[in-house]
Amino acid sequence: MTGRPVPAAVSPGHGGLDGATARRRYVTVSFLFWLPIGMSIATGVLLFTERGMGLAAIAGFYAVHSLTAAAMELPTGGLSDVIGRRPVLAIAGLLNLTAFTLIGLGAAGWAIALGMGLMGLARALSSGPAEAWYVDTVHAHAGPDADLRTGLARGSSATSAALALGTLLGGGLPWLLGLAPGLGEWLADTTGGLVILLSVPALLGALVEGVFVFYVLSALPEPPRPRTTLRRVMGGVPAAIAAGLRLGARDALIRRILLTASAAGAALAAVELLTPGRAAALMGTAESGALVFAGLACAGFLCSALGSQLAPLVARFTGGSERAVLASLGLVTLGLALLGLTTHTMSPLATTVAVTGYGLVYLGLGAAGPNENDLLHRRVDASGRATALSVQSLSLQLVAAGAGLGAGTLPPGPLPWLLAATAVLAGALLWVRRPAPAPPHHGPSATGGPVAAPVPAGPLHDTAPEEIHPHARPT
């Protein structure tokens, strides 16, 4: 089609929501989903230790979560494209509700492992449906060339803000409750030891997940999909997975996005693995280092939220989403380099530089994400959108797992940081190429330039030449 659809052509299946309303609901869903997860960050290891678990067992619990999320990433992305965004999100919320209840009350290793596995499955289920619902709704109201960056940026900011607030709540709530004389003993005696102060954040997270499920079911309308059976669902999911796997192979722009996600995974693995040890070494004890790391993690989430909010501005300033990704990844590279160059000294100046580098990493990743996804959503249509997001998430998770294992075997010092910086720099260089002439016109873009036709859900074809530039300079 060659023109922006008029608002009168709103799809009734999306409840007639306009872009602003859809954006608010997407932001709310993002915040509600990630708030309980943030609350579990500060107390997770301490809770398991209090339950009598050793470090090896705790590492196994987190491995169950990561492996489950990675194994189910593509199948669950395909499921969302087959049965709809809302039911998959509701299932993810129910799984998280169950997981947080098991983690908060479970005293046995099997209960904790089951909870972590369910949380990993919920993580895989949630990777894409909310964002896909938002994009589908905006496209139904304003056409396929509507601006997406603002909504994607605010959703990403809401995620980061939820993680930051959740980290503070999860870390501070047990401490605050402990100020009440005898409260901890009363909780343990009343519940037979099932509820202790450290389990309160997980149980509160389960309540928030209940609110999340109710909100998803009541506030995210979508068009009815054809009635299906279990056999059709099982048959449709592999087809969606196959389409997702073909995205990177046949579309050069999506291939760059996936490789960029892999580079981000290497950066996150280095930061999450190496920063806690540096904080403990700086403070002298593991306990005080953990407290410092909690504050630093909160600051990192806030930097990520700020970067996401600035993503549209970065795109306007640099001349498009592609150049914005390049500039953002350059910021990440600089941050990792600063962290690497300050490993051998703990002077006040070096510590300040390292903290600055830490903030730059999250600021750059926050600014890159919405611009990458803006490009991604212009390359795929609604029937394969959640699958494409799952492929992107899988690329990040797999490389993060491998990079984390690699960084753990390297000698301490600047080398792990600089290798991560090199990986991100390589990802940034993918966006340096000069754009080729624009593809055939398919309607005005939100930025004022032509947009390539989206990749259909069926057999994919190479609609992206090696140096495509789907955005003209924004107005």
Side-chain angles (χ1 to χ4, degrees), residues 22 39 62 78 97 152 180 188 302 355 385 414 421 463:
M39 293 170 64
Y62 283 99
L97 188 156
L152 296 177
L302 292 176
V355 171
R385 181 161 289 125
T463 57

Side-chain angles (χ1 to χ4, degrees), residues 410-439:
L410 293 173
L415 182 58
W417 295 103
L418 297 181
L419 287 178
T422 302
V424 176
L425 178 61
L429 293 177
L430 295 173
W431 302 93
V432 171
R433 299 180 179 183
R434 291 179 59 83

Side-chain angles (χ1 to χ4, degrees), residues 63-347:
V64 168
H65 173 275
S66 299
L67 293 176
T68 303
M72 299 304 296
E73 188 69 63
L74 283 181
T76 54
L79 182 65
S80 171
D81 287 329
V82 172
I83 69 173
R85 324 303 190 193
R86 181 169 58 179
V88 171
L89 279 174
I91 294 171
L94 291 174
L95 288 174
N96 262 346
L97 188 156
T98 306
F100 283 118
T101 302
L102 285 171
I103 291 171
L105 300 178
W110 68 265
I112 298 174
L114 178 59
M116 295 296 284
L118 292 177
M119 191 181 298
L121 178 57
R123 174 68 182 89
L125 282 166
S126 69
S127 176
E131 185 171 319
W133 174 87
Y134 168 70
V135 176
D136 292 344
T137 304
V138 172
H139 282 177
H141 179 267
D145 303 322
D147 172 66
L148 299 174
R149 273 195 299 259
T150 300
L152 296 177
R154 292 185 182 178
S156 182
S157 295
T159 296
S160 298
L163 288 170
L165 178 60
T167 301
L168 293 178
L169 287 175
L173 191 57
W175 177 79
L176 288 173
L177 294 176
L179 296 178
L183 179 59
E185 292 80 3
W186 178 82
L187 281 175
D189 293 340
T190 304
T191 61
L194 291 179
V195 178
I196 59 178
L197 292 181
L198 288 172
S199 64
V200 171
L203 297 177
L204 182 58
L207 294 177
V208 176
E209 289 293 347
V211 176
F212 168 82
V213 173
F214 176 79
Y215 189 82
V216 165
L217 294 177
S218 62
L220 302 188
E222 61 178 342
R225 294 176 184 262
R227 298 186 64 180
T228 187
T229 63
L230 179 61
R231 180 178 179 182
R232 290 178 179 176
V233 169
M234 297 304 294
V237 169
I241 294 174
L245 293 176
R246 288 196 298 266
L247 287 174
R250 298 191 179 186
D251 192 299
L253 179 62
I254 294 179
R255 186 161 58 247
R256 279 189 275 171
I257 293 173
L258 298 181
L259 290 173
T260 301
S262 300
L268 288 171
V271 170
E272 293 172 358
L273 179 69
L274 302 175
T275 305
R278 290 183 66 168
L282 176 66
M283 300 304 296
T285 65
E287 293 78 10
S288 57
L291 181 62
V292 169
F293 177 67
L296 194 60
C298 178
F301 293 138
L302 292 176
C303 286
S304 180
L306 176 61
S308 298
Q309 283 294 103
L310 294 176
L313 179 63
V314 175
R316 288 195 294 270
F317 181 77
T318 58
S321 292
E322 293 196 10
R323 293 191 180 112
V325 174
L326 171 61
S328 301
L329 293 181
L331 206 61
V332 177
T333 303
L334 175 61
L336 290 171
L338 292 177
L339 284 164
L341 295 174
T342 54
T343 55
H344 289 315
T345 177
M346 297 182 186
S347 67

